[in-house]
């Protein structure tokens, strides 16, 4: 924890809003997202940025997405729509849709989000694009979940924050291994030089984390953590929808580079064993004072480090539930990690 997260705990994003005019193409793949497009797309189309287009791929939608997009096109000339129609013999996935969107984009620098995401401010594009004034080819942004009173919400947010701390820390330590497609940017040159998603096109998921895992390096990757650069989305509200989402995500973890699988496995297994041995020692009353002392020491260490990182990631309220959330997290991460060995995802929506 100290070795991996300390640098991130002390990291401070650039507060100054730079003047940037790098042409940007914002790319959104949407399947049956009429309601979300109606609500969220204006916040993207009306960003405070001098030179950008928004490319929406209407991926085989059978709702009113086409009508919604047609209305928006009349009002916003910088909106470009790419339509994919359903084919009986050829089933497409998100990677195919994104590839068409990238080809249709007129600009070199690409910024990705989802149809159900809302930028935290009108300066989202500016904050993300400013990182391309450096040699960076990949920009890792942050995409938190909105707070709600749903019983799943604290844990879903905690899991997302834990993942963010891990991959942002790794990037700062010179070993980036993943990003999230709800807030991610990279260059068109990098995409085509890497042959796009060709190496994992057969997988329904992984358009974001697998692409970053395969092509991010210490020299070409940078992070953006200013609160104005966040993109927010609603968390799942039912166990079935959340399970479906996590099944898709965990199904690609086994395709990460071996050193990254090993790093994530060590964290998951060591956390699980800590709680398992804690419970066993307490049940059999093996040095209970010493055992509780170790637990309290670890908890204090977590609070010291997490108080800084959780504040950066808009999750300060979760610190109050840290012991319970952390325990559930390691049970969950190991259970899903085991299930991922047998998971095969066949659809992205």
């Amino acid at each position: 924890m100290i070795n991996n997260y300390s640098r991130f705990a002390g990291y401070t994003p650039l507060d100054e809003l730079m003047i940037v005019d790098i042409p940007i193409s914002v790319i959104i793949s949407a399947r049956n997202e009429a309601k979300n497009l109606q609500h969220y797309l204006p916040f993207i189309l009306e960003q405070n940025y001098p030179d950008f287009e928004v490319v929406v791929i209407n991926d085989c939608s059978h709702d009113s997405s086409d009508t919604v997009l047609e209305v928006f096109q009349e009002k916003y000339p910088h909106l470009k729509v790419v339509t994919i129609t359903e084919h009986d013999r050829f089933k497409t996935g998100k990677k195919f849709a994104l590839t068409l969107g990238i080809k249709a984009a007129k600009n070199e620098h690409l910024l990705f989000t989802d149809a159900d995401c809302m930028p935290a401010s009108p300066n989202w594009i500016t904050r993300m694009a400013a990182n391309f004034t450096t040699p960076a080819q990949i920009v890792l942004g942050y995409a938190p979940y909105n707070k709600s009173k749903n019983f799943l919400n604290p844990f879903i947010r905690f899991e997302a924050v834990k993942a963010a701390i891990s991959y942002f820390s790794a990037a700062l330590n010179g070993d980036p291994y993943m990003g999230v497609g709800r807030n991610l940017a990279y260059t068109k040159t990098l995409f085509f030089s890497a042959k796009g998603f060709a190496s994992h096109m057969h997988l329904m998921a992984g358009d974001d984390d697998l692409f970053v895992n395969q092509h991010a390096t210490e020299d070409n990757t940078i992070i953006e953590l200013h609160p104005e650069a966040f993109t927010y989305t609603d968390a799942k509200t039912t166990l079935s929808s959340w399970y479906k989402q996590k099944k898709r995500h965990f199904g690609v973890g086994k395709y990460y580079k071996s050193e990254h699988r090993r790093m994530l496995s060590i964290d998951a297994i060591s956390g699980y064993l800590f709680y398992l041995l804690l419970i066993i020692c307490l049940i059999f009353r093996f040095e209970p004072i010493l055992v509780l002392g170790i637990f309290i020491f670890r908890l204090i260490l977590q609070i010291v480090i997490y108080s800084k990182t959780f504040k950066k990631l808009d999750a300060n309220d979760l610190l109050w539930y840290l012991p319970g959330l952390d325990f559930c997290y390691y049970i969950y991460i190991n259970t899903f990690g085991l299930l991922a060995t047998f998971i095969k995802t066949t659809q992205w929506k």
Side-chain angles (χ1 to χ4, degrees), residues 154-162 310 318 322 325-326 329:
F155 183 75
I156 292 176
R157 289 175 54 228
F158 181 81
E159 189 265 343
V161 169
K162 282 278 289 183
F310 276 44
L318 296 178
L322 181 60
L325 290 173
D326 194 63
Y329 171 81

Side-chain angles (χ1 to χ4, degrees), residues 9 13 42 45 64-65 67 70 77-78 87 94 106 112 118 138 141 192 208 224 247 299 301-302 325 327 349:
L45 290 164
S64 59
S65 293
T67 304
E70 285 175 8
H78 56 298
H87 195 288
K94 187 176 182 181
K106 67 179 182 180
F112 298 84
M118 179 175 175
I138 298 176
F192 285 113
D208 46 8
E224 176 52 63
K247 183 177 71 170
L299 180 61
L301 186 63
Q302 284 180 305
L325 290 173
F327 172 75
K349 285 285 284 185

Side-chain angles (χ1 to χ4, degrees), residues 68-216:
V68 171
L69 291 170
E70 285 175 8
V71 172
F72 279 136
Q73 276 188 301
E74 293 178 2
K75 183 179 179 181
Y76 302 100
H78 56 298
L79 172 61
K80 182 183 294 183
V81 177
V82 177
T83 301
I84 303 174
T85 56
E86 194 77 60
H87 195 288
D88 293 337
R89 297 173 58 188
F90 182 63
K91 300 299 180 182
T92 64
K94 187 176 182 181
K95 293 174 188 174
F96 179 77
L98 289 176
T99 300
L100 293 187
I102 292 170
K103 288 182 177 179
K106 67 179 182 180
N107 298 317
E108 162 69 5
H109 296 89
L110 314 173
L111 176 55
F112 298 84
T113 190
D114 287 343
D116 59 353
C117 292
M118 179 175 175
S121 78
N123 297 321
W124 168 57
I125 295 180
T126 304
R127 292 286 182 184
M128 293 294 286
N131 293 281
F132 286 125
T133 61
T134 72
Q137 291 182 290
I138 298 176
V139 183
L140 306 179
Y142 179 51
Y145 289 107
N146 290 314
K147 301 172 188 177
S148 78
K149 295 182 179 180
N150 181 269
F151 76 105
L152 282 174
N153 186 264
F155 183 75
I156 292 176
R157 289 175 54 228
F158 181 81
E159 189 265 343
V161 169
K162 282 278 289 183
I165 291 173
S166 181
Y167 69 76
F168 283 134
S169 295
L172 286 174
N173 292 329
D175 189 24
Y177 71 89
M178 71 162 281
V180 293
R182 302 191 304 277
N183 199 2
L184 174 67
Y186 50 78
T187 64
K188 186 183 286 191
T189 296
L190 176 66
F191 180 80
F192 285 113
S193 65
K195 297 182 180 179
F197 307 122
S199 63
H200 49 89
M201 185 64 85
H202 60 291
L203 303 173
M204 285 294 104
D207 56 277
D208 46 8
D209 55 345
L210 272 185
F211 183 84
V212 172
N213 188 261
Q214 292 180 354
H215 307 298

Side-chain angles (χ1 to χ4, degrees), residues 193-241:
S193 65
K195 297 182 180 179
F197 307 122
S199 63
H200 49 89
M201 185 64 85
H202 60 291
L203 303 173
M204 285 294 104
D207 56 277
D208 46 8
D209 55 345
L210 272 185
F211 183 84
V212 172
N213 188 261
Q214 292 180 354
H215 307 298
T217 67
E218 179 179 6
D219 298 324
N220 75 357
T221 304
I222 195 169
I223 70 172
E224 176 52 63
L225 273 178
H226 194 281
E228 289 188 335
F230 294 176
T231 58
Y232 284 84
T233 189
D234 291 333
K236 300 299 183 183
T237 57
T238 65
L239 283 171
S240 60
S241 61

